[in-house]
Amino acid sequence: MSIRNADPQTAAAAPTVDDLILDATRACVLEFGLRRTTLAEIARRAGVSRPTVYRRWPDTKAVVADLLTREIEQALPEMSGSGVAREQLVRGVAETAETVRTHPLFVKILRSDPELLITYIVDRLGASQRAIVETLTPVVLVGQHDGSIRAGDATGIATMILLMAQSAVQSAGMVAEILPPKALIAELTHAVDAYLRPPLT
């Protein structure tokens, strides 16, 4: 299983204005935290005018939301290799959870500005969460076809996996004394595998 990589030709091309702004936002949030990051500072670091940023995003939270989506999409693994689908899916969820748990941007936000994430925990799905569900759903369908994943609504199953992984990542610090990081990922792996495994006949 490999982490998504940009196409070499795309990677070699000059970054777009959006990329420059998102990269500048990442640097600002890591240095200042969300509360002290301003669109003016983002524009300065990106080397663009403030109106250029305002035309794309209305406020700092909107830019950060798109930045989080980009970072999570880059962390999602390709799950199209050999092996049964359930094994690929379980491994992919564990890898992504560990990547997100240790990602500098998410660590910074969880420590300094956790309220940013509240909306995406209790109110609505964000674009990054929808991207995860859309990535997992086809793998669930393949697993149902090859018999490695239990029957059920594939999108609902994918959504429940998102909730399991999201809870584990967000609460990792809270339970660290009981479940240190390595054990946490091991238990998450076991939980997801058990949830997906078809019942014994």
Side-chain angles (χ1 to χ4, degrees):
M1 186 179 302
S2 59
I3 299 297
R4 296 176 188 272
N5 293 312
D7 179 82
Q9 292 182 344
T10 303
T16 66
V17 172
D18 284 5
D19 287 333
L20 291 173
I21 294 171
L22 291 176
D23 288 344
T25 303
R26 188 180 192 277
C28 286
V29 172
L30 287 175
E31 183 172 347
F32 305 124
L34 179 61
R35 289 187 186 89
R36 294 173 56 201
T37 294
T38 65
L39 290 186
E41 178 62 17
I42 290 171
R44 187 189 70 79
R45 292 204 179 199
V48 300
S49 67
R50 277 182 285 180
T52 297
V53 179
Y54 280 110
R55 281 196 295 270
R56 290 165 167 79
W57 292 279
D59 53 38
T60 304
K61 285 188 176 181
V63 190
V64 172
D66 279 358
L67 173 61
L68 290 173
T69 298
R70 185 188 73 171
E71 300 294 307
I72 287 179
E73 288 181 342
Q74 289 177 349
L76 292 176
E78 295 284 0
M79 289 179 277
S80 57
S82 59
V84 297
R86 190 185 75 250
E87 294 174 356
Q88 292 187 60
L89 185 51
V90 170
R91 188 164 61 249
V93 170
E95 288 178 4
T96 303
E98 180 62 10
T99 298
V100 173
R101 185 190 69 79
T102 58
H103 194 293
L105 183 65
F106 295 99
V107 170
K108 179 71 174 183
I109 290 174
L110 278 172
R111 288 178 178 172
S112 64
D113 306 285
E115 65 276 6
L116 172 67
L117 304 176
I118 294 298
T119 295
Y120 306 111
I121 297 172
V122 300
D123 289 335
R124 63 182 176 85
L125 286 177
S128 57
Q129 293 163 310
R130 292 185 184 279
I132 292 172
V133 172
E134 290 170 1
T135 297
L136 299 181
T137 299
V139 188
V140 173
L141 287 169
V142 172
Q144 290 174 331
H145 181 73
D146 70 21
S148 65
I149 293 177
R150 66 176 177 82
D153 177 70
T155 301
I157 291 173
T159 303
M160 191 64 204
I161 295 171
L162 164 68
L163 293 177
M164 294 166 71
Q166 180 175 282
S167 176
V169 169
Q170 291 168 343
S171 301
M174 180 181 70
V175 299
E177 290 186 5
I178 304 170
L179 276 179
K182 187 175 180 179
L184 177 78
I185 297 302
E187 291 300 325
L188 174 63
T189 299
H190 178 75
V192 173
D193 184 72
Y195 173 67
L196 294 174
R197 188 180 294 271
L200 295 175
T201 57

